[in-house]
Amino acid sequence: MTARTVPVVVIGAGPTGLTAATLLGQYGIETLVLDRWESVYPLPRAVHLDDEIHRLLARLGIARQFAAISRPAQGLRLLDRELRVLAEFRRGGDLGRHGHPEANMFDQPQLEALLRTNLERHPTVTLRGNVEVTAVEQSGAGPVRVRLTDRGTGETSTVAAGYVLGCDGANSLTRSTIGSTMHDLAFAQRWLVVDVATDADLHQWEGVHQVCDPVRAATYMRIGQRRYRWEFQLLPGEGADDYRDMTRLRPLIRPWTRDVPADELEIVRTAEYTFRAQIADHWRKQHVFLLGDAAHLTPPFIGQGMGAGLRDAANLTWKLAAVLDGRLPEQVLDSYETERKPHTRSMITLARLIGTAMTAGGDTGSALRRILAPRLHRIPGLSNRILDSRTPALHRSPLVDRSRLGRGLAGRLCPNARLADGRRFDDLAVGRYALVTSAAATPSLCADVQDRGGVLVTASPGTALHGWLRRGRSVAALVRPDGTVQRTARDPKALCDLLPAPSPRRRV
């Protein structure tokens, strides 16, 4: 029996699903989130996000809370198998172009708890846990039927949805439902992931330590006040069960823990992961979409796996809300995969390259790293490129016009820069279309932008936004609700005409 119909059903309440639901809630879209877990999945997984994703968390309304549970990373060290420093790339203490630290370490269950609590602020969003989605069915132009089973009572039911967002992870049922398959990008490595808690001070440099060793590559990082993460490439025949207790684990982590007594080191988790590079061949079928790990898997070497899913949510949800409101035609939803898939592939390729550079080449590779790594800092601009958190521009689509003036800005995020009055760009524009211009704004232009539900942002001389426009050889930029530049021009009026018309209806 069909219980009810909702405009959007989100399958999966991990970071991607919770982010998508929150953004839809901010637009007042009725949304049902379904998850097999009753509460936050307790084990740590992702531990890093960049300033772009921190900016997105601010848009969700949890920037202050996230800052309280995270710590900025100081940079990256490349080490040889003897843990001698080959190269070091330090981050400064300044905030990045998005107004937040460029690298942030955190505990995923704590972040998910913040996201769940924050979701309660949105009355149009309902989170239902402890349910198993068993089928997603669609035919023709009718609603999508989501069949589910209550894991506690065994009761079955069906929900009819206008759209379904599959945020249900690497083993996605939603992906199978739409006939999508993962395309392998030729990377698979078995790694041991270890989380340890201790009150002891390990006296280690508080950046990421990357051990470049073809036999036992490793990563170490501090992720909290008393939490530490290690990742070790597993040898043939090894598994997580070989390192469940501190007696067997201690030899691996001793170079960092040194003389800290074993009884002061608490194993939070040891788990085996196969780091893969994969991307789904298609991310949409009619009214069903894939997001996050359901659509792509990224090796962890650049810390962008979870961030990719949150970028998916930011890209799709404002478009979906505008379609449901009648402000944009449904065809614009095709731009989600057009924009996100090449971007994600680029990030996966980079992560795969870094992983290979850490582990490939045997003794010859190790010798080359010893020779080359200490000289990397001498290459002009390389340190900045290694630490730069910017990601590639989105490809051209109906909502990214890269064929005209200012092509260098279109498809990229507008910086969350300080304005002349001390506020930041997002303080004015977040969640809406924005017209950024360095030209004098006429009353007529201001009225037109406001009438279309947008906001006019003046880039005054001497401000970062003014310099950003000049470097892009533009006078004005049309910035989408997700912060991406849609198009630039010399005449702001030409961009105003591209703003979506006011909503003729609300389909909630």
Side-chain angles (χ1 to χ4, degrees), residues 409-429:
L409 299 183
R412 297 191 179 276
L413 285 176
C414 176
N416 188 25
R418 288 203 180 277
L419 308 176
D421 61 4
R423 290 180 295 175
R424 289 191 179 272
F425 172 81
D426 284 355
D427 295 331
L428 291 180

Side-chain angles (χ1 to χ4, degrees), residues 204-481:
Q204 297 293 334
W205 182 68
E206 295 199 356
V208 176
H209 299 206
Q210 201 77 65
V211 181
C212 302
D213 181 359
V215 177
R216 179 78 86 183
T219 306
Y220 158 83
M221 63 204 87
R222 183 173 184 175
I223 60 175
Q225 185 63 32
R226 60 187 305 272
R227 285 282 311 284
Y228 300 84
R229 160 71 60 90
W230 284 268
E231 297 169 354
F232 299 97
Q233 189 172 12
L234 286 167
L235 305 180
E238 287 186 327
D241 288 341
D242 297 318
Y243 298 100
R244 296 293 186 193
D245 61 73
M246 187 54 67
T247 300
R248 289 184 285 183
L249 177 63
R250 189 64 184 274
L252 286 183
I253 66 174
R254 188 185 298 276
W256 292 273
T257 60
R258 296 174 183 169
D259 57 353
V260 175
D263 60 3
E264 295 184 21
L265 300 169
E266 173 194 353
I267 297 177
V268 177
R269 177 191 68 153
T270 59
E272 178 181 332
Y273 282 89
T274 299
F275 295 160
R276 300 186 185 278
Q278 296 181 337
I279 192 163
D281 58 4
H282 62 275
W283 297 17
R284 178 192 183 188
K285 184 176 182 180
Q286 296 174 283
H287 287 191
V288 179
F289 296 82
L290 303 179
L291 295 81
D293 286 356
H296 43 75
L297 295 174
T298 307
F301 304 110
I302 58 173
Q304 290 290 342
M306 189 193 77
L310 270 61
R311 288 184 178 93
D312 293 343
N315 185 287
L316 178 59
T317 50
W318 74 270
K319 300 171 185 175
L320 187 55
V323 169
L324 288 167
D325 273 349
R327 300 187 69 200
L328 289 175
E330 189 176 42
Q331 295 93 309
V332 304
L333 298 178
D334 290 335
S335 68
Y336 164 62
E337 182 174 342
T338 299
E339 294 172 1
R340 286 294 303 137
K341 191 173 184 179
H343 185 279
T344 303
R345 184 183 288 273
S346 295
M347 300 304 289
I348 292 174
T349 299
L350 177 59
R352 185 182 60 181
L353 176 64
I354 296 298
T356 301
M358 285 174 53
T359 60
D363 290 339
T364 301
S366 295
L368 288 173
R369 282 185 283 268
R370 283 195 299 272
I371 295 170
L372 297 176
R375 293 167 171 79
L376 292 177
H377 70 280
R378 299 180 186 175
I379 301 175
L382 182 61
S383 292
N384 290 336
R385 289 179 62 87
I386 289 176
L387 297 176
D388 194 341
S389 63
R390 278 183 296 188
T391 61
L394 299 181
H395 278 217
R396 183 180 178 184
S397 80
L399 294 173
V400 174
D401 186 348
R402 302 193 68 208
S403 62
R404 297 175 180 271
L405 175 75
R407 182 175 179 179
L409 299 183
R412 297 191 179 276
L413 285 176
C414 176
N416 188 25
R418 288 203 180 277
L419 308 176
D421 61 4
R423 290 180 295 175
R424 289 191 179 272
F425 172 81
D426 284 355
D427 295 331
L428 291 180
V430 66
R432 295 185 288 174
Y433 261 100
L435 179 56
V436 182
T437 179
S438 58
T442 65
S444 173
L445 179 64
C446 294
D448 286 347
V449 173
Q450 186 173 3
D451 287 345
R452 290 174 174 263
V455 58
L456 187 70
V457 179
T458 301
S460 303
T463 63
L465 276 185
H466 189 276
W468 171 72
L469 284 173
R470 288 193 63 183
R471 289 190 297 275
R473 299 180 180 180
S474 303
V475 173
L478 181 63
V479 181
R480 309 183 328 186

Side-chain angles (χ1 to χ4, degrees), residues 54-70 100 111 114 118 121:
H54 198 158
R55 178 182 181 180
L56 177 54
L57 296 182
R59 178 180 170 186
L60 300 182
I62 60 170
R64 178 180 55 81
Q65 297 92 322
F66 177 73
I69 66 165
S70 62
H100 303 281
L111 172 59
L114 291 180
N118 187 60
R121 298 168 50 201

